[in-house]
Amino acid sequence: MYVYRLLFLMVLGIYVFSPIIMNWWLEPDGAWYRPYIIWFFVILLSFWLSRQRGEDDF
């Protein structure tokens, strides 16, 4: 049940914050590494979530 709540919160967060993130990402005066910052946090979050699950949770 924990995974479903987390998935729901992630989808809700993406829905709420996607316009802000897209405006920040596509801003013409922005730094070249902005997309990499977003992907870094996505990878870090997925790594963190996979470490919290035990071997019997699969």
Side-chain angles (χ1 to χ4, degrees):
M1 190 64 172
Y2 173 72
V3 176
Y4 295 120
R5 280 187 283 167
L6 183 62
L7 185 62
F8 174 72
L9 287 175
M10 284 178 54
V11 169
L12 182 66
I14 289 170
Y15 180 74
V16 169
F17 292 114
S18 65
I20 297 168
I21 292 172
M22 288 302 294
N23 286 338
W24 177 71
W25 187 339
L26 297 174
E27 188 174 286
D29 296 330
W32 61 269
Y33 52 83
R34 280 186 178 180
Y36 299 106
I37 292 173
I38 294 171
W39 282 113
F40 173 74
F41 284 118
V42 168
I43 292 169
L44 191 67
L45 179 67
S46 65
F47 176 72
W48 181 67
L49 291 175
S50 68
R51 284 194 53 173
Q52 285 189 346
R53 295 189 338 190
E55 290 183 15
D56 345 346
D57 292 344
F58 290 105

